[in-house]
Amino acid sequence: MRPTLLPVLLLALPMSLAGQRQPPVMPFPLEATPAPGGLRLDSTFAMTATGFSDERLRAGIGRALARLAAMIGQPLSSPPATGGRVMLEVSGPGQVVQTPDEDESYTLEIAPAGARLKAPTVVGALRGLETLTQMVSADGEGFFLPAIRITDRPRFRWRGLLVDVGRHFMPVEVLKRTLDGMAVVKLNVLHWHLSEDQGFRVESRRYPKLHQLGSDGLYYTQEQVRQIVAYARDRGIRVVPEFDMPGHSTSWFVGYPQYASAPGPYEIERRFGVFDPAFDPAREDTYRFIDGFIAEMAGLFPDPYWHIGGDEVTGKHWNENPRILRFKRQHGFKDNAALQTYFNQRLSRLLTHHGKRMVGWDEILQDSLPRNAVVQSWRGVEYLASATSQGFGAILSAPYYLDHMDPADVEYLSDPLPEESGLSPEQAALVLGGEACMWAEQINSETIDSRVWPRLAAIAERLWSPPSVRDPDDMYLRLSRVSIQLERVGLGHEAHTFRMLRLLSGRRGVQPLHDLLAVTMPVTFGQRVRLQGTTQLTPLTRLVDAARPDPWARPVLNRLAVDVVRDPQAATAAREQLRRTFAGWKPLATALAALGDSMPLARDGIPAALGLGQLGDLGTDALEYLSGGGAPPGWKASATAMLDELAKPQGLLRLAGVEAVRTLVDGLP
């Protein structure tokens, strides 16, 4: 087999992405002052807690020591130790039930003689341990922690990840390794989307037909829910449940159609989209049912926040029900938005009775919304301003939809509070933070790691670090390192493409497929809906499912192209690297066509391979014209038009090199 192009491109990563910060960790700390020397790591290294200690802190220390031992390939001793030592000084346990107001700050001082980690709470200590673990470096003498002083605390109080288990169920082990990854990058909220039109995912002993009839047998027992909540708490992560209502609720009505606005029977929805079934807001029995459900679930989820969904209610079944129409007239509700606000008011009172505070998607932002509600913005950043201007707490998700397949730098540069936000200090204080969303129409338990990681680390940094930390080149350099750290806690994103290609092909090392996926990305969410029309029954085993949303080659190619345009004569190495890469794309279409005879799914990649050949020709010509004094008349315009076409889906894949070639073309006079 000929050598793959990917290692060649990755070799350029440290050289191309200049300006590395110290320490090379994510999220980057609030303040970091490097010092000479470092603390050596060997079998004599140990950690000792002074002052307060509890089981959660001891478990966190144990996890950190286990990871450090794996990194250096040596067992680490228990105190007393004769070598380097980390002293942890923790003032107290923190909140019994963690809230957004938990103190997560810490300071970390590392010197050649030892290190000191100080934190007011156990959660702060856990955050500091993650920073320390990421800092391991090596030289000719072995492993060490670079000397440094760090003062750190989060910029935002709410830093979350939504995991949708309604559309595709995610087993407990998937959630646990996701929580482990979240802890590495200091996220503090798992938003657990537990009910959807396609499935109801929690055991209810009070209303057993919810999980018995609404889940296909794929649900979490109450004991498993307690395990996940406890597992998250041990890592300083809150679990906020979402049970969607009044819409996105078909699975509720499979077992309990009497609470729906239209008569049944109902079946679990296999398609994806927006559907008409909705709770009947005009019946008192509906609220008694919901009250009983909340009473049961509140015992499983101690977090003070509870997400009601509230999005995408069509109102069709409300408009077709004479009794609901009569109810609207009697109460003076001018439209269905007013009716939904009434439903939310009733729901908020029930939640308050059970010690919960309501969170909902931005459709709940209507007149007379209960004042303690929190609005989560998904339709656009403008809803964040609308919510805070009316005095509501707000969470931003609109730019952080991981399922949309945006690359990491696009998500990284989206800020909940950009300089031009126009919010007053009082309004800005109501922005709790942000949440990335991993909706599951086009993912399952096999592909979720590759769709969440490592891009989520970039969003985590945006929500933790100061707003001045926003250099994408530096971010990618640190992300390449942290991505491997995330593998150490059990995540499979780095090996995903190789594993999926083995399953897809039934062979090992099918080089043309590896070369193709090194420089291609999945189509966006909307593009795949239009091109493939996935349902809950669609096997997610095609080339598009093996592709990475942001392959490492993409930022490298972009950086090389910028270097060439900046100084075409001096950037000899960058120009040659691009030339070799472009030349390697040309044979891919022929190679994939040959594979298609024995490997039919390989044919999915032929449109992208053909596109890469064209893109490589364009890039090669642009390099020649940049170094030779300019392009022929009309070439730049035709090249730009061709790039516009190549930026569109090529089958179910997108070409990761389009931006780099466009940079070369735009750089021509």
Side-chain angles (χ1 to χ4, degrees), residues 37 42 64 89 94 102 207 246 250 372-373 408 423 429 470 484 510 516 522 543 596 602 610 630 645 653:
D42 55 31
E89 299 178 8
E102 179 70 277
Y207 304 111
T250 303
N372 70 341
L423 299 183
R470 55 184 297 107
I484 297 173
V510 185
L516 176 73
L543 270 184
L610 290 168
E645 288 302 309
L653 296 171

Side-chain angles (χ1 to χ4, degrees), residues 4 6 83 111 138 203 252 393 566:
T4 178
L6 181 57
E203 174 193 15
W252 294 76
R566 182 180 294 123

Side-chain angles (χ1 to χ4, degrees), residues 364-636:
I364 73 170
L365 187 59
Q366 300 289 339
D367 292 341
S368 303
L369 179 68
R371 303 309 301 173
N372 70 341
V374 174
V375 177
Q376 187 162 358
S377 167
W378 76 275
R379 290 181 295 176
V381 295
E382 64 272 18
Y383 291 95
L384 198 75
S386 296
T388 57
S389 66
Q390 298 177 52
F392 294 102
I395 302 164
L396 180 64
S397 285
Y400 308 131
Y401 267 44
L402 293 167
D403 58 314
H404 286 187
M405 303 298 164
D406 291 324
D409 53 349
V410 171
E411 295 160 332
Y412 184 67
L413 294 175
S414 299
D415 196 292
L417 286 175
E419 290 184 5
E420 66 278 9
S421 69
L423 299 183
S424 69
E426 294 77 16
Q427 292 169 345
L430 291 171
V431 178
L432 300 179
E435 274 188 5
C437 295
M438 188 68 261
W439 298 105
E441 287 95 335
Q442 298 171 6
I443 68 161
N444 58 18
S445 58
E446 282 192 315
T447 62
I448 183 173
D449 288 5
S450 70
R451 274 54 187 142
V452 172
W453 305 103
R455 292 181 300 151
L456 182 59
I459 299 171
E461 178 160 285
R462 176 56 48 240
L463 299 176
W464 176 283
S465 301
S468 58
V469 179
R470 55 184 297 107
D471 179 356
D473 286 351
D474 180 69
M475 179 274 291
Y476 272 118
L477 185 59
R478 289 178 291 113
L479 186 65
S480 68
R481 174 184 166 114
V482 170
S483 184
I484 297 173
Q485 297 274 350
L486 290 163
E487 269 199 307
R488 293 187 182 278
V489 299
L491 292 162
H493 57 289
E494 285 284 348
H496 170 77
T497 296
F498 298 93
R499 181 179 59 83
M500 287 289 288
L501 286 181
R502 284 195 299 272
L503 296 174
L504 182 150
S505 67
R507 304 180 194 176
R508 291 183 175 87
V510 185
Q511 201 64 60
L513 293 178
H514 288 287
D515 286 349
L516 176 73
L517 294 190
V519 286
T520 54
M521 307 174 291
V523 291
T524 67
F525 175 86
Q527 288 167 347
R528 190 167 185 183
V529 169
R530 292 191 295 273
L531 292 169
Q532 190 183 14
T534 53
T535 73
Q536 194 181 42
L537 304 178
T538 301
L540 301 177
T541 54
R542 309 277 295 259
L543 270 184
V544 63
D545 300 299
R548 301 174 66 112
D550 192 7
W552 292 115
R554 178 183 160 274
V556 175
L557 291 171
N558 289 346
R559 184 67 257 172
L560 291 170
V562 168
D563 290 345
V564 168
V565 169
R566 182 180 294 123
D567 193 340
Q569 303 305 319
T572 305
R575 189 170 61 251
E576 182 56 27
Q577 179 66 68
L578 287 173
R579 195 187 313 277
R580 291 170 59 198
T581 300
F582 295 154
W585 292 346
K586 195 71 173 176
L588 282 176
T590 301
L592 260 67
L595 281 176
D597 293 337
S598 60
M599 201 181 299
L601 290 179
R603 296 179 188 137
D604 282 359
I606 292 176
L610 290 168
L612 279 171
Q614 294 177 289
L615 187 64
D617 288 343
L618 273 180
T620 300
D621 290 344
L623 288 173
E624 293 301 318
Y625 298 145
L626 279 166
S627 60
W635 184 88
K636 186 173 180 179

Side-chain angles (χ1 to χ4, degrees), residues 7-20 476-477 480 556 559:
V8 177
L9 286 172
L10 288 183
L11 285 174
L13 187 62
M15 295 185 294
S16 302
L17 305 183
Q20 177 179 352
Y476 272 118
L477 185 59
S480 68
V556 175
R559 184 67 257 172

